[in-house]
Structures are given as C-alpha cells and as structure tokens.
Amino acid sequence: MENKTRNETSWGYRESIIVGVTLFLLGVVLQIVLGNSLELRLEWPFNMISFVIHIVFCTMSFVLFKSSKLIRWITRVPASMVAIVMVLLLTMLIGTVPQIPENEPSFVTLLGLNKITQTWYFLLLVFFFSTALLMVSIKRISLGIRSNLGFLANHLGLYIALNAGIFGSSDLIRYTMELKEGKISWVANDENNKAVVMPIAVVLEDFVMEEFAPKLALINQKGELIKEKGKNLILVKKGVKAQLENNYEVEVVDYIPDAVRFESMYRSVNQEGATPAVYVKVVNKSSGFKSEGWLASGSFLYDQQSLNLDQHQYLVLTKPEPKKFSSKIKVFTVDKEEYSAVVEVNKPFEVMGWKMYQLSYDDRFGKYSTTSTIELVKDPWLPVVYTGVFMMIAGAIYLFFIGNVKSKKND
C-alpha cells in the first residue's frame, strides 16, 4: 500500500522542474540550429486548426489516459506552478532585454533574446503552461461544471486569451498610409514597403500640432549642448530669469511664439513658416560680460538666430517639441459610406475593422506640415482575446462574492 501511494505521488516539483528546464534547453538548441532560418508563424486557417487540435488532443488524452501517471502529474499543482514560474521568468526577460530587430549576428540574436516571443523556447514553455492550464480545466469539468464555475471561467478565460493572443499574432495586419492635404489616398504600404490597395480611402483635411514652448540653451562651436553642471535647457516664458552654465544669467524680456524678422527685430505674424523668437538680456558677473538681442528657433523658411557670448559659447533657442498632434480626416468606404474623424496617437478611429492611428508627419515642416502618416491596424483575433479577459474577470468576481468551497476539496 505504501509503495502504491509513493508511486502515485512520485511526480512532484522535482520532476516538474526537470520537465520545465528540459523544454527550455531543448528550445534553446532548436533556436540556435533553426531559429534564424525558420519563422514561427501560423496564419489563418492553420492557427485555428492548431488551436482546435490542441483542445481535442488534451481532451482525448484525459478521457483515455486519466489514470496514467503523466496525466495525473500535468493536472496537479506542481506542474502548473513550474509552468507559471518559467513563463513569468521569460516575461521578465522580455521587459529587461530590448525587443528590437538586430541585423548583425551576436549572442543576443543567436538566442533570439531580442524577439523572445518568436523563439522556440518561448513556444515550448507556453505550450507547457497552456497544456497544464487546459488539462486542469478539463479535470474540473469532469468533476462538475456547476460546482467549479468560477474556477473554469477564470482558467479557461486565461487559456483563451493567452492562445488567441499567440495564435492570432500572425493575423495581425499593420499598414502605413501617407496622406497629403486635399488629396485622396487609398494605397497603403506593408512592412516591406509593398503597396496594398485598401477598401477605404482617406483625405487629409488638416494637420494640427500643439507645441511646447522652446528652451534656452548654451552650446559650443560644434553645436553640442554644454551641460557640465546641469544648468541648461531653460523653458522660455516672458519675464523668466534663469542661470545657465558658466555663470551666465539670462532674462527673457519678450517672447513671440510666431514671429518673422523685420530688419533688426522680430514681430508677431500669422503666416506659414513663422518661428518662435525671444529677446534676452545676458549677464556674467564673474567676467563682467553683458549682452542682449534676439534669438529665434528657425524654421523651414527662416534661419536660426543665436547670440554669441564668446569665441566658444553661443546662446540659442531650441526648436519647440511637439506636445500633441492629430489629423482631421475624411474616410470613404467601398460601401459608399462617408465618415469625418480626428485621429491621434492613442485615439484611433475605427471603420470596417480597421483602426487608424496617427503615426508621424513631415518633421522638416513641424506644425506647418501638410503631410501626415497614419497607421492602419486590423486584429481579427482581438474579440477572442477580449472574450477570454471578460471570462477571467467574471470568474474572479464569482469566486470573490460566491466562493467555490467544493472545488477546493477536489484539489
């Protein structure tokens, strides 16, 4: 009797750790051998087929072999805990190592550390975690759905959200479309800059940008910022007084957000290409230096205006940084529908399953740009991911308010 009990419970944390580490090492070997030549992408309908096969395989395995040591192990806590920890460690690694493409061969690219979600070891460990999650859920279903409702909603929701996000990532479409004011555009470009005819056409009516005030800065002859003591880059405001590097004290006497130079001074105007300008007074009590004059950021029409402090230092007005920019657009669909919208960086407009985001603009012209680039994104698996998330939330609420005493007895 003792030998039978020992055999039934012999697969615990030690064996689970061995399985997890073995899968990781196997994935590393596959990544080194095949990672650079094989792209792990499953597109529709193969991703859905793989999803269904996994569910059917796990269900049949439990039904046919539920009394086997392997099935008993995968449906117990040790396997689940080790799988969770392994995936969590990879997630922490994703947040630590920059996930950006690198073309030059290196240790990082060899192991795929710059694209962990596309590596063999990530795939194997997520498969381990996903299988444990599904097998535990199937076991609870066999014990009674009603008595395990909260547990099932929570765990199956996580399974659906996780796998839909992974399997559906290959079906995610990202295009960019360059818009010019007053011109209709219906052709976008994919990641390889290949032209794609879209089922929607877009007209840019206006590009709008809000800017921060420019800053005063001290630079050297090479145009490099002088920052020995950190007393540089002072935000401009009329009447402000500040101390810059090397004991230079600056006072902003006048500030004009949009100005044009007339002879020796700047005046406020409302025209394209106008530049921010300030009139400043500069004093250096250590050296007795005094000077005053106009500074201008410059634009695509006008040069930057600086103030020479000595042979090695110049006072300049930096170009204003963008605070917020958006595009006012008009959208036409193949169904002859027409929409007016404003798209921003984090505020998309959605039509026909496509989300349109503000991406960039012609930075040579800044707020006077007549060109805007938007990103079009379509993710057909997103509703499935949301379904899984809502199931998790519903399960958590159920367990919190109602509880699931009977399910605990079945652990």
Side-chain angles (χ1 to χ4, degrees):
M1 182 71 179
E2 291 181 0
N3 291 334
K4 184 178 179 181
T5 303
R6 189 180 298 112
N7 290 333
E8 287 181 352
T9 60
S10 59
W11 282 34
Y13 282 101
R14 182 180 64 180
E15 290 77 11
S16 300
I17 293 172
I18 291 174
V19 171
V21 172
T22 301
L23 287 174
F24 174 74
L25 294 177
L26 176 61
V28 170
V29 172
L30 289 174
Q31 183 64 29
I32 294 174
V33 176
L34 303 174
N36 294 327
S37 59
L38 183 63
E39 194 170 343
L40 306 175
R41 290 178 64 90
L42 285 175
E43 298 180 352
W44 180 269
F46 300 106
N47 45 14
M48 175 58 78
I49 293 173
S50 301
F51 200 174
V52 173
I53 287 176
H54 185 244
I55 296 174
V56 173
F57 175 78
C58 290
T59 303
M60 295 302 296
S61 297
F62 182 83
V63 172
L64 298 175
F65 308 105
K66 62 180 178 180
S67 60
S68 67
K69 184 181 294 185
L70 179 63
I71 299 301
R72 291 201 308 271
W73 164 73
I74 198 69
T75 57
R76 292 175 64 84
V77 173
S80 299
M81 290 300 298
V82 171
I84 291 172
V85 170
M86 297 292 284
V87 172
L88 182 60
L89 289 174
L90 283 184
T91 304
M92 293 172 62
L93 196 59
I94 291 173
T96 304
V97 181
Q99 302 296 290
I100 55 176
E102 290 187 18
N103 297 323
E104 296 183 3
S106 64
F107 177 77
V108 172
T109 55
L110 179 65
L111 297 182
L113 295 176
N114 61 317
K115 51 175 184 178
I116 292 176
T117 58
Q118 299 176 32
T119 59
W120 282 100
Y121 51 85
F122 179 83
L123 179 67
L124 291 176
L125 289 177
V126 168
F127 176 77
F128 176 32
F129 173 61
S130 182
T131 301
L133 195 63
L134 182 57
M135 293 298 288
V136 169
S137 300
I138 294 172
K139 179 183 177 181
R140 287 300 182 95
I141 291 174
S142 70
L143 297 173
I145 296 177
R146 187 173 182 180
S147 60
N148 293 280
L149 192 59
F151 180 93
L152 290 172
N154 200 291
H155 285 65
L156 287 177
L158 176 58
Y159 175 80
I160 291 171
L162 175 67
N163 285 275
I166 294 174
F167 283 106
S169 61
S170 298
D171 292 328
L172 177 66
I173 304 173
R174 290 183 183 273
Y175 295 146
T176 58
M177 180 183 287
E178 186 176 85
L179 308 176
K180 295 185 180 294
E181 282 190 11
K183 294 185 179 180
I184 189 167
S185 301
W186 63 89
V187 178
N189 294 299
D190 62 12
E191 58 184 5
N192 298 317
N193 207 31
K194 182 180 178 181
V196 180
V197 177
M198 300 296 295
I200 54 180
V202 186
V203 175
L204 177 63
E205 295 186 318
D206 191 22
F207 175 76
V208 180
M209 176 186 286
E210 296 179 18
E211 297 177 324
F212 290 102
K215 298 175 182 178
L216 291 171
L218 209 59
I219 62 172
N220 57 26
Q221 286 179 313
K222 297 180 180 180
E224 299 171 336
L225 189 68
I226 300 173
K227 46 183 179 179
E228 297 174 359
K229 300 178 181 178
K231 297 179 180 180
N232 218 333
L233 292 175
I234 305 301
L235 194 67
V236 165
K237 185 179 179 182
K238 187 174 180 179
V240 70
K241 295 181 180 180
Q243 185 169 345
L244 297 175
E245 295 279 355
N246 302 328
N247 298 319
Y248 283 101
E249 296 180 4
V250 181
E251 178 185 357
V252 178
V253 179
D254 195 10
Y255 167 49
I256 307 175
D258 299 292
V260 169
R261 183 169 182 170
F262 291 92
E263 296 181 352
S264 61
M265 64 181 299
Y266 283 82
R267 294 180 181 176
S268 179
V269 295
N270 183 19
Q271 75 174 51
E272 189 173 295
T275 173
V278 293
Y279 190 83
V280 296
K281 290 183 178 181
V282 186
V283 176
N284 191 321
K285 295 181 179 180
S286 300
S287 62
F289 174 86
K290 290 183 179 181
S291 183
E292 58 184 276
W294 284 96
L295 303 175
S297 299
S299 68
F300 67 95
L301 280 182
Y302 301 101
D303 294 331
Q304 185 181 46
Q305 178 74 35
S306 61
L307 188 63
N308 189 0
L309 303 182
D310 57 39
Q311 294 181 350
H312 307 289
Q313 299 176 103
Y314 300 85
L315 184 64
V316 298
L317 188 65
T318 64
K319 290 185 180 296
E321 297 176 359
K323 181 179 182 181
K324 175 183 177 183
F325 53 93
S326 60
S327 295
K328 184 180 180 182
I329 60 174
K330 186 164 285 187
V331 182
F332 305 90
T333 71
V334 290
D335 299 327
K336 297 182 180 180
E337 295 177 323
E338 182 179 328
Y339 303 91
S340 294
V342 175
V343 294
E344 299 179 15
V345 176
N346 294 316
K347 294 182 180 179
F349 173 71
E350 185 172 1
V351 60
M352 295 184 67
W354 290 94
K355 287 187 177 182
M356 291 181 279
Y357 294 86
Q358 178 69 54
L359 185 63
S360 62
Y361 57 95
D362 193 337
D363 54 12
R364 294 174 301 172
F365 299 94
K367 66 180 180 180
Y368 302 109
S369 175
T370 57
T371 300
S372 176
T373 302
I374 62 172
E375 183 179 47
L376 298 101
V377 180
K378 192 172 189 178
D379 188 358
W381 285 77
L382 192 59
V384 183
V385 175
Y386 283 155
T387 299
V389 172
F390 289 140
M391 287 177 63
M392 292 169 60
I393 295 173
I397 294 174
Y398 180 91
L399 291 173
F400 182 79
F401 288 102
I402 300 175
N404 202 346
V405 178
K406 292 183 179 180
S407 67
K408 295 180 181 179
K409 297 179 180 179
N410 296 322
D411 286 343

